[in-house]
Amino acid sequence: MATSPQRVYRAACPNCGAPVEFASAASASAVCSFCRSTLVRDGDTLRRIGVSAELLDDHSPLQLGASGSRQGLAFTVVGRLQYGYEAGTWNEWHVLFDTGDGGSEGDVRSAWLSEDNGAYVLAFDAPLPADAPAIDALRAGQSVAIDGRSWNVASRLQARLIAAQGELPQPPRLDGEFTVVDLRNAAGEVATLDASDPLRLHWSVGRTVALSELRMAGLKDGPAEATLQGRGVECPSCGNALAPKLASTKSLSCSQCNAVVDISQGLGAELASYAQNNSGAAGAGPQIPLGSTGSFAFGSRGTAPLPWQVVGYQERCDIPDDPDEDTSFWREYLLYNRSEGFVFLVDSNEGWSSVRPITGAPRARGADGALVEWQGVAYRRRYSYAAKVTWVQGEFFWRVQRDERALVTDYEGTGAAASRRLSREQTGSEVVWSAGETLPAATVAQAFGLEAGAQAALARDVPVLSANASNMGSGKAVALFVLVVLVMMVMSNCGDDDCDEVRQTFGTASTEFQQCTSRRASGGTGRVGGGSYGGWSSGGSHK
């Protein structure tokens, strides 16, 4: 339900004469919707301080005038700031909550609805805590205490304001770069320190939200999956026509030459690209076709299944410390839902799992980090390794780079939560935590309506010997042990027949088959497992 301001301040734009409205007496600035002049209030008049650039097209279903409610309070979207940084862009939408009967500054409260790794965060500005550290001293992965609470630094980046729109609480900074630091905590909160004002740091605190929770009305019409008009561009490698289907896309692969094209700086810019070599002799490719839609009930936002579309696919591998060790490969499908954002569907040698970036950061239990706790569940560290991207197809909401690398730590749930998963991925300037759970291969196949032959190709769930194995009957425990040993033998001693079996299961183009033949040629041995529980992502910051 839209808010209805009891008092609206109106004035004429001093540049073009168009009417400019303020829904809140607290708002200090606005951008004229006709001439894009940036205006500040000076008593009962408006003063022009500059001109905002054109907004870059983006995937967001939000727009000025959209409305919703949170905890019983109605709000309206009245403004937007669009920021750019090295890996792309993000939006911060200025929303006004109607908290009283209207008419005075205290009856309206500002907040920011910001994009966060394909999801959203609703945050409120707050006074800068007295113990806030110097922003230049903060680094990704660092633990700090601010405002009496423990925080983990999730990212530190240099940002710039690209454009502004609508009604804003402060005049936007029109030029220059500034530092933005995001912090997360175990309570699921996200905080931001930003130095956009040279005279003082800004501090805000919020939580993740889904648009479906906010009961939004007045969103942009039409599915985000529809091809966007005017977004066509030629591949800089082969000249093939590219047509991004999601306006959030920062990178996409060419269907003809498989080059990866960076469009994070806009389609009008000179496009950077790189060629990628196929890791499989006959050509790698997703077993779930791009564009397919599956019905899943992911996460804790409800149990009703929603449609999720496959928009991207990437193959990744670990980087062994010992060159004599084998490399393990796994696959990640990027799924998209208009109201819920993005989820990664991960396919590794150990089976399938779904994961999505979380807003908070787990609490460490112990000095060595072997145990962490998130939302009341204890997780035990299983793997720590370096990983890189080897192959991509489709579209991605972050800028994909050649041999993109990350330091990955995977965790498994303990006790009754053994099917739960956590993953921590760190690059030089960002730490992303993802959470999810295992999925039976049959569930994945049924969700996408795959035929029987395709369903069989997806089945690679490997039973795990857990602490509960002693509770099984002795015959079942022995059978389980023998099964695991046989799987290890197949994967580590690939003769001609064994590799043929792997080929029939995974396909000639699969990395499993390539690994098998490679190990046979080199005489090396392999290990069951590997594979990330989380998808790497980078989705900007928020205020």
Side-chain angles (χ1 to χ4, degrees):
M1 179 181 300
T3 59
S4 299
Q6 300 299 307
R7 185 181 72 183
V8 176
Y9 171 80
R10 295 182 178 91
C13 173
N15 184 59
C16 71
V20 179
E21 294 187 351
F22 289 82
S24 170
S27 296
S29 180
V31 177
C32 176
S33 60
F34 288 87
C35 68
R36 302 197 312 276
S37 291
T38 301
L39 311 172
V40 295
R41 291 176 59 173
D42 188 0
D44 291 331
T45 62
L46 297 178
R47 179 166 53 89
R48 183 174 182 261
I49 62 172
V51 179
S52 174
E54 290 276 8
L55 291 158
L56 294 179
D57 192 12
D58 57 73
H59 78 293
S60 179
L62 294 171
Q63 62 182 345
L64 298 190
S67 61
S69 64
R70 177 72 167 172
Q71 297 179 337
L73 293 178
F75 67 83
T76 301
V77 179
V78 298
R80 169 164 61 160
L81 295 174
Q82 187 176 72
Y83 291 100
Y85 68 117
E86 183 183 14
T89 64
W90 83 91
N91 286 316
E92 300 191 9
W93 297 88
H94 180 215
V95 303
L96 289 180
F97 281 87
D98 187 358
T99 60
D101 293 330
S104 68
E105 181 176 330
D107 292 325
V108 180
R109 188 181 185 190
S110 286
W112 297 96
L113 186 56
S114 308
E115 296 159 12
D116 176 55
N117 285 329
Y120 293 89
V121 165
L122 184 64
F124 294 87
D125 288 332
L128 182 69
D131 57 354
I135 195 169
D136 292 337
L138 298 176
R139 298 291 182 270
Q142 184 179 355
S143 295
V144 294
I146 304 177
D147 199 21
R149 289 175 287 177
S150 178
W151 299 85
N152 291 321
V153 179
S155 67
R156 172 196 163 95
L157 54 87
Q158 293 299 115
R160 67 190 185 281
L161 179 64
I162 295 175
Q165 182 184 27
E167 183 175 341
L168 303 167
Q170 295 95 25
R173 179 176 176 178
L174 299 175
D175 55 8
E177 290 192 339
F178 57 92
T179 302
V180 179
V181 173
D182 273 358
L183 306 103
R184 317 290 172 106
N185 66 19
E189 295 177 307
V190 56
T192 301
L193 282 168
D194 87 65
S196 57
D197 185 341
L199 301 179
R200 65 183 183 92
L201 286 177
H202 288 283
W203 170 256
S204 65
V205 180
R207 289 184 179 275
T208 185
V209 293
L211 294 187
S212 57
E213 294 178 51
L214 299 177
R215 306 171 78 175
M216 298 290 297
L219 299 176
K220 289 180 182 176
D221 294 329
E225 293 81 359
T227 299
L228 299 171
Q229 297 296 324
R231 290 263 296 185
V233 65
E234 289 187 355
C235 172
S237 178
C238 70
N240 182 47
L242 305 175
K245 293 180 173 60
L246 289 177
S248 57
T249 298
K250 300 296 187 294
S251 295
L252 74 161
S253 63
C254 174
S255 60
Q256 179 167 292
C257 69
N258 295 319
V260 179
V261 183
D262 175 11
I263 61 173
S264 63
Q265 304 306 313
L267 295 178
E270 182 178 351
L271 299 181
S273 67
Y274 71 85
Q276 55 178 349
N277 294 321
N278 202 324
S279 58
Q287 291 181 284
I288 304 173
L290 292 176
S292 300
T293 298
S295 183
F296 294 95
F298 289 129
S300 59
R301 301 191 192 280
T303 57
L306 295 172
W308 293 85
Q309 186 177 37
V310 180
V311 296
Y313 167 83
Q314 63 178 349
E315 185 179 89
R316 305 175 71 190
C317 72
D318 63 1
I319 307 173
D321 294 329
D322 187 342
D324 293 330
E325 291 183 0
D326 290 313
T327 299
S328 294
F329 289 82
W330 67 95
R331 295 144 295 277
E332 296 178 358
Y333 297 82
L334 181 61
L335 310 185
Y336 176 77
N337 174 273
R338 178 175 171 82
S339 63
E340 297 293 321
F342 294 91
V343 165
F344 291 89
L345 192 60
V346 182
D347 171 22
S348 75
N349 295 343
E350 295 184 344
W352 292 80
S353 58
S354 64
V355 294
R356 66 191 311 172
I358 61 176
T359 300
R363 178 183 292 109
R365 293 176 54 178
D368 62 354
L371 280 176
V372 297
E373 181 181 336
W374 173 246
Q375 295 185 338
V377 176
Y379 294 82
R380 186 180 304 277
R381 184 175 60 207
R382 188 174 184 194
Y383 296 125
S384 292
Y385 51 94
K388 70 175 182 179
V389 175
T390 59
W391 179 259
V392 300
Q393 287 182 240
E395 303 183 22
F396 304 89
F397 63 86
W398 68 92
R399 186 180 63 175
V400 176
Q401 298 179 343
R402 184 192 298 272
D403 292 336
E404 193 166 63
R405 301 189 178 212
L407 297 176
V408 184
T409 304
D410 290 332
Y411 297 80
E412 287 185 344
T414 60
S419 64
R420 305 286 287 274
R421 298 290 184 262
L422 274 180
S423 180
R424 179 187 186 274
E425 301 206 14
Q426 180 170 4
T427 62
S429 61
E430 184 174 17
V431 174
V432 176
W433 282 91
S434 301
E437 59 186 344
T438 59
L439 289 173
T443 298
V444 176
Q446 292 168 7
F448 287 101
L450 300 180
E451 298 179 354
Q455 291 186 30
L458 297 184
R460 43 185 147 272
D461 303 297
V462 178
V464 179
L465 287 175
S466 68
N468 296 326
S470 60
N471 297 328
M472 297 187 298
S474 59
K476 292 182 179 179
V478 170
L480 179 58
F481 176 76
V482 170
L483 176 60
V484 173
V485 170
L486 287 174
V487 172
M488 293 179 67
M489 291 176 64
V490 168
M491 295 301 295
S492 62
N493 299 302
C494 293
D496 288 335
D497 294 338
D498 294 327
C499 285
D500 186 62
E501 182 178 346
V502 173
R503 179 186 59 78
Q504 293 179 18
T505 301
F506 298 103
T508 304
S510 69
T511 51
E512 286 84 358
F513 179 68
Q514 302 303 317
Q515 279 184 271
C516 189
T517 56
S518 176
R519 279 194 294 270
R520 179 179 176 273
S522 64
T525 60
R527 62 182 177 88
V528 174
S532 172
Y533 299 148
W536 191 87
S537 57
S538 178
S541 181
H542 22 261
K543 190 171 184 174

